[in-house]
């Protein structure tokens, strides 16, 4: 009941080149540790549900995910967002390009987007 965002993105050489491996710095929201290494990305479910039918159990689940990328520079945050986009679009649909901003406290950059993902059971 979780979209396969990590496995899809971790299979991309472009994502790995930017977010590393062992670990790949793509975390479920709130799971990154306090020793932050930039760039990194987080994702979370913001909606979804099973494909319900009257005469049978659901055969698919849909998810709406929010992805947030954090980096040291505007160019780096866009590069990571593009690599994630290219990996994700092979399996799901980007539905929103969100905020691009600089955090007032950390001075790091953030890029946000949403993904709709359907997973067959």
């Amino acid at each position: 009941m979780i979209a396969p965002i990590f496995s899809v993105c971790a299979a991309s050489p472009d994502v790995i080149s930017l977010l590393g491996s062992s670990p790949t710095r793509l975390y479920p929201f709130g799971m990154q540790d306090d020793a932050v290494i930039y760039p990194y990305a987080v994702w979370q479910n913001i909606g979804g549900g099973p494909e319900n039918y009257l005469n049978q159990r659901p055969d698919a689940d849909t998810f709406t995910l929010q992805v947030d990328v954090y980096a040291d520079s505007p160019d780096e945050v866009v590069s990571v967002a593009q690599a994630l986009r290219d990996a994700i679009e092979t399996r799901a649909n980007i539905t929103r390009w969100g905020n691009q901003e600089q955090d007032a406290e950390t001075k790091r950059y953030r890029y946000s987007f949403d993904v709709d993902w359907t997973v067959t059971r």
Side-chain angles (χ1 to χ4, degrees), residues 30-102:
M31 298 298 292
Q32 73 277 12
D33 61 23
D34 289 336
V36 176
I37 298 172
Y38 291 91
Y40 73 94
V42 296
W43 63 270
Q44 64 182 318
N45 287 347
I46 58 173
E51 291 293 320
N52 289 314
Y53 304 98
L54 293 176
N55 65 343
Q56 68 185 48
R57 293 183 59 224
D59 62 355
D61 296 302
T62 60
F63 303 92
T64 298
L65 309 176
Q66 179 177 320
V67 178
D68 294 292
V69 179
Y70 298 91
D72 290 324
S73 72
D75 290 341
E76 187 176 48
V77 80
V78 169
S79 292
V80 174
Q82 287 174 334
L84 290 169
R85 174 204 64 196
D86 292 349
I88 290 167
E89 285 183 331
T90 65
R91 301 278 299 278
N93 297 307
I94 307 287
T95 58
R96 178 190 68 94
W97 299 118
N99 295 344
Q100 302 156 35
E101 58 194 10
Q102 183 182 35

Side-chain angles (χ1 to χ4, degrees), residues 5-6 9-10 15 19 23-28 40-43 67 84:
I5 185 170
F6 182 84
C9 292
V15 170
L19 297 183
T24 300
R25 295 182 309 276
L26 173 61
Y27 307 104
Y40 73 94
V42 296
W43 63 270
V67 178
L84 290 169

Side-chain angles (χ1 to χ4, degrees), residues 2-24:
I2 300 292
I5 185 170
F6 182 84
S7 60
V8 168
C9 292
S12 164
D14 291 337
V15 170
I16 295 301
S17 74
L18 295 164
L19 297 183
S21 61
S22 297
T24 300

